[in-house]
Amino acid sequence: MAKPGPSRWPIRGLIANMTSPRHPWQNHSHFFSACCCRLNSGQTTRKARKGFKDSYAYHHSRQRQAANKARQVELRQQRAAALGDPIRGVTTPFIESLDSQLPPQITASVQEVSHTTDAPSPDQPPPSQANATEEAHLNYYLTKPELQESLDYSRLLSEPLVSTDREQADPVKEAREAKAHEAGHNTAFEAVTRIVSLANATSRERTRANVQRIIDTFGRHSTDTYLRPKAPSLQSTYSTIAEQKPTPRAGPDTGSSEVQIGILTAKIRVLADRYEGANRNDKANKRNLRLLLHRRQKLLKYMHKKERGSQRWTNMVEKLGLTEATWKGQIAVE
């Protein structure tokens, strides 16, 4: 049954009253009485229909509406969970190593993989040399070989002299001196190890070490040896313009998009840790965090446009734990 339309004015009766030879006040009273009767009859009909409505169908429709709203809330939560955290993203072993100052789990090197019985698939790139050769970074721009070499040299310089005249030498005294020298060297080794450890460094020194690790991990001077470049497009394949040779790189790569994104991610984690807890009212820190997030978002959008689907993009996203929320939509710091 079709739904009744709104009440209409009795135009035909209005015209008949206006053309009749009655008194003017009679015409108006007849017109308004007809309108009121029409409206009252429409309201009575709607109330009657609403009163005789099936209660089962009414409650069933309300249940469907509540189920639809609950499903919409669930889908909204699933989409938000799929996008991830726009500030921190997803925790990965490499991201945890930036906080703990320890290298991620060491994988087999390229030479070890080549000596295995199973030949590597041509579709899969070789393992990353950055993870295979990465060691725990030290403070003050030191490396483990340099530290070990310095400690060995200091031990050689501080060794007690051995008498050349063995007839007058005292073996007990020499043994005591050697034991004291060994204990002193162990104490010095422990002290120097604690001094150069990043666990006892300042936040600025740890950030500097993390930046150096990111440059060594994502720099193209290192990744070009085991990551395949993106396949050329059809437009560049059939283009008549000669391709320009890239300028040879002088030193490590510090300006590529993936390196800058990794450095910004390390700085964002430091600012996010400071902003949480008792420092929620730090407006300057909040503004700096927002600036870094938007700068990283622009670089991610650019790299997603240029390197989408390539091994460079996949390697960066998987190691840094970046989700779609870091470059899609609006990022708000609350």
Side-chain angles (χ1 to χ4, degrees):
M1 183 177 180
K3 185 177 180 180
S7 303
R8 298 181 179 179
W9 297 94
I11 303 300
R12 184 175 298 178
L14 175 61
I15 297 174
N17 292 332
M18 292 178 63
T19 56
S20 62
R22 296 182 181 179
H23 198 270
W25 66 269
Q26 295 180 355
N27 297 337
H28 291 290
S29 63
H30 182 73
F31 165 69
F32 285 113
S33 62
C35 293
C36 293
C37 293
R38 179 64 176 174
L39 292 175
N40 292 333
S41 62
Q43 292 177 359
T44 306
T45 306
R46 285 196 296 272
K47 289 182 179 179
R49 289 176 179 174
K50 186 175 181 180
F52 285 105
K53 187 176 181 181
D54 189 1
S55 60
Y56 175 79
Y58 174 74
H59 290 291
H60 190 62
S61 62
R62 297 290 292 181
Q63 290 179 0
R64 289 200 307 268
Q65 184 180 6
N68 291 336
K69 290 182 178 180
R71 180 58 178 169
Q72 290 177 5
V73 173
E74 182 180 356
L75 292 177
R76 200 177 299 113
Q77 294 176 355
Q78 290 179 0
R79 295 190 191 101
L83 288 176
D85 187 4
I87 299 178
R88 296 181 178 274
V90 181
T91 304
T92 60
F94 183 80
I95 291 297
E96 291 179 349
S97 67
L98 296 181
D99 299 335
S100 61
Q101 307 303 326
L102 296 175
Q105 185 178 2
I106 303 299
T107 57
S109 62
V110 180
Q111 291 77 10
E112 293 174 356
V113 174
S114 61
H115 291 299
T116 56
T117 55
D118 298 334
S121 174
D123 299 333
Q124 297 293 335
S128 170
Q129 294 181 354
N131 285 349
T133 59
E134 187 178 7
E135 297 179 353
H137 284 66
L138 303 176
N139 200 1
Y140 306 111
Y141 300 94
L142 291 176
T143 59
K144 276 196 170 182
E146 295 175 349
L147 179 62
Q148 188 64 35
E149 183 180 357
S150 301
L151 291 174
D152 293 342
Y153 186 65
S154 65
R155 180 177 184 176
L156 178 63
L157 293 178
S158 60
E159 282 184 353
L161 297 177
V162 180
S163 177
T164 56
D165 189 1
R166 302 308 304 169
E167 294 181 357
Q168 298 181 359
D170 187 359
V172 178
K173 182 180 179 180
E174 290 181 352
R176 191 185 308 112
E177 290 179 352
K179 185 177 180 180
H181 172 261
E182 186 67 23
H185 175 73
N186 293 336
T187 304
F189 177 81
E190 182 67 22
V192 173
T193 303
R194 292 184 180 183
I195 290 172
V196 301
S197 175
L198 287 174
N200 301 322
T202 62
S203 177
R204 180 176 296 181
E205 292 171 345
R206 287 196 296 267
T207 303
R208 179 199 56 77
N210 289 336
V211 168
Q212 186 61 38
R213 287 185 56 195
I214 289 170
I215 293 174
D216 297 339
T217 304
F218 297 101
R220 296 189 180 181
H221 65 282
S222 175
T223 57
D224 286 345
T225 58
Y226 61 89
L227 292 181
R228 297 191 184 96
K230 185 180 180 181
S233 60
L234 294 177
Q235 183 178 0
S236 60
T237 303
Y238 296 100
S239 177
T240 57
I241 302 176
E243 295 184 0
Q244 297 181 356
K245 294 183 178 180
T247 305
R249 186 177 290 109
D253 176 24
T254 59
S256 60
S257 300
E258 51 267 36
V259 173
Q260 294 297 318
I261 290 170
I263 294 174
L264 289 174
T265 301
K267 293 181 178 180
I268 285 170
R269 290 184 66 85
V270 174
L271 290 179
D273 292 339
R274 293 179 183 176
Y275 183 65
E276 293 178 352
N279 298 324
R280 299 291 293 182
N281 295 326
D282 190 354
K283 303 301 180 182
N285 192 10
K286 181 178 180 180
R287 179 180 181 274
N288 295 333
L289 178 60
R290 188 186 297 113
L291 290 176
L292 293 181
L293 286 172
H294 292 167
R295 191 181 304 171
R296 184 181 67 174
Q297 185 183 27
K298 291 180 181 179
L299 288 173
L300 282 170
K301 286 182 179 180
Y302 170 78
M303 192 172 179
H304 183 261
K305 179 181 178 182
K306 296 294 183 181
E307 298 288 342
R308 179 179 54 187
S310 64
Q311 293 185 0
R312 288 176 182 172
W313 171 263
T314 305
N315 177 63
M316 180 195 67
V317 170
E318 290 180 354
K319 286 189 175 181
L320 295 179
L322 301 175
T323 58
E324 293 184 353
T326 56
W327 74 83
K328 286 186 178 181
Q330 182 179 1
I331 300 177
V333 180
E334 300 179 356

